[in-house]
Amino acid sequence: SSSKEKELAAIYEMRSQLTNDEKKELTDPTMLLRHYWAEKGNISHAMTTLREALQWRRQFEANALRVCMMRKSDSDDDDNNKAETTTKGSSSKNYQAMMRLENETGKIFVRGTTLEGRALMYMFAMRNNTHSDLDNMRHLVWNLEKAIRVTKHHSNGRLDKYCLLIDCANYSLKKAPSLQASKMTLDVLQKHFKERMHRIYVLNPPLAFRIFWNMVKPFIDPVTKTKIVFCTPNNPNDEGLEQLREDVGPEQAKRMEPCAFGTEPIR
């Protein structure tokens, strides 16, 4: 079709503008296309955001984070090569120890998939156990990379968008992440992982969360806003709950975490 031809021409043009080093830094063959889509076909804007994302991944050492908890057999040669290139001069950083600490409370994890094979990434607003915004972002990025891998595996490579479930049970403004940390999280999700989010389910949102929501809403991209659904268990006609059940199917719905109203969780 003409739209596909236009996309192919755009990808060819974008790729021709990249240096050889930048080409090696692309996370996958569709990274160019995701930025093209996100910028609504504007090649100039797409190249700007793509280069910003590549620079961020380089400075943030995203590829090293991606493989830091993998066994050698779990990561392919490309993963290892990218990680080695990224971590030259920074071998003293012990990402494994940091990740184990960040993982202790289970504040973010990937478990289960939708009917289509999209990974389900859980995030618990009240389980934060550390005070480093940077390490929190590293932990987030590690889980995002895992969610993308799980999605690709369970969809046989057809899909690369995951679903995020944010549990707000027992939410309080006193214990909530700072506005700065929340903005950092949004930056990671919206700027550096473009076109990776399929849907966001906000689970069990109390009244206090609505106050926080009104604070961060101005920083949320309009397209991202359309992907957010609120799930309130006390409302039998809740549209968000219906959407969640439709996405995961009856069998997976039972096996989801209790915060997502599962009755027979995997663990």
Side-chain angles (χ1 to χ4, degrees):
S1 66
S2 59
S3 62
K4 286 292 181 186
E5 290 172 0
K6 188 177 179 181
E7 285 179 355
L8 285 171
I11 292 171
Y12 182 83
E13 171 60 26
M14 290 173 69
R15 192 170 180 83
S16 72
Q17 294 184 35
L18 295 175
T19 66
N20 287 333
D21 285 342
E22 287 172 333
K23 289 173 185 175
K24 292 176 185 176
E25 290 175 333
L26 295 174
T27 57
D28 62 281
T30 59
M31 189 177 188
L32 294 166
L33 192 55
R34 287 196 304 276
H35 281 263
Y36 176 75
W37 285 336
E39 297 307 316
K40 299 176 175 57
N42 187 314
I43 292 177
S44 176
H45 290 176
M47 286 302 300
T48 298
T49 62
L50 175 65
R51 285 202 162 103
E52 287 172 352
L54 291 176
Q55 181 181 13
W56 173 84
R57 290 188 69 85
R58 202 180 307 127
Q59 294 173 344
F60 202 77
E61 299 188 344
N63 291 321
L65 285 168
R66 180 185 189 181
V67 301
C68 73
M69 300 295 281
M70 286 184 184
R71 296 186 298 270
K72 184 77 172 175
S73 58
D74 291 336
S75 55
D76 58 29
D77 290 338
D78 190 46
D79 280 333
N80 289 323
N81 290 338
K82 285 180 178 176
E84 287 170 10
T85 300
T86 307
T87 54
K88 283 178 180 176
S90 60
S91 57
S92 62
K93 292 185 179 177
N94 190 341
Y95 285 140
Q96 286 191 356
M98 177 272 296
M99 206 64 67
R100 289 191 186 101
L101 176 62
E102 294 293 331
N103 273 333
E104 276 185 359
T105 58
K107 57 190 174 188
I108 308 177
F109 57 81
V110 177
R111 188 171 297 158
T113 61
T114 66
L115 282 173
E116 294 180 300
R118 301 185 191 280
L120 300 173
M121 189 172 97
Y122 291 85
M123 183 182 291
F124 295 82
M126 293 293 99
R127 288 190 185 177
N128 190 33
N129 61 321
T130 60
H131 301 288
S132 168
D133 287 343
L134 179 57
D135 284 350
N136 273 306
M137 292 307 106
R138 286 170 172 155
H139 185 236
L140 170 65
V141 168
W142 181 78
N143 278 282
L144 288 170
E145 295 284 358
K146 182 177 181 179
I148 292 163
R149 286 199 309 275
V150 169
T151 296
K152 287 185 174 180
H153 174 75
H154 283 273
S155 67
N156 294 318
R158 293 181 301 104
L159 305 172
D160 55 13
K161 291 185 181 182
Y162 64 93
C163 292
L164 175 63
L165 300 95
I166 304 174
D167 180 39
C168 300
N170 304 314
Y171 182 90
S172 73
L173 289 173
K174 184 182 288 188
K175 296 180 180 179
S178 67
L179 185 60
Q180 179 185 352
S182 300
K183 288 170 69 176
M184 287 173 69
T185 299
L186 286 172
D187 272 355
V188 170
L189 296 176
Q190 295 178 160
K191 292 183 181 179
H192 307 310
F193 286 83
K194 283 185 180 289
E195 294 293 317
R196 289 295 201 185
M197 181 83 69
H198 178 66
R199 208 176 323 274
I200 304 173
Y201 311 93
V202 180
L203 311 172
N204 312 299
L207 183 60
F209 180 80
R210 303 287 177 172
I211 299 171
F212 173 75
W213 170 248
N214 288 330
M215 289 167 59
V216 300
K217 194 159 54 171
F219 304 105
I220 300 177
D221 178 86
V223 175
T224 303
K225 283 179 187 174
T226 66
K227 301 178 180 181
I228 300 173
V229 294
F230 289 85
C231 303
T232 310
N234 297 327
N235 182 358
N237 299 316
D238 187 89
E239 291 183 6
L241 272 176
E242 286 302 312
Q243 182 68 69
L244 176 58
R245 288 167 180 154
E246 180 184 323
D247 287 347
V248 301
E251 285 305 309
Q252 175 65 19
K254 288 190 296 186
R255 306 201 65 193
M256 295 182 74
E257 295 298 298
C259 67
F261 325 113
T263 55
E264 302 171 14
I266 297 171
R267 293 187 185 178

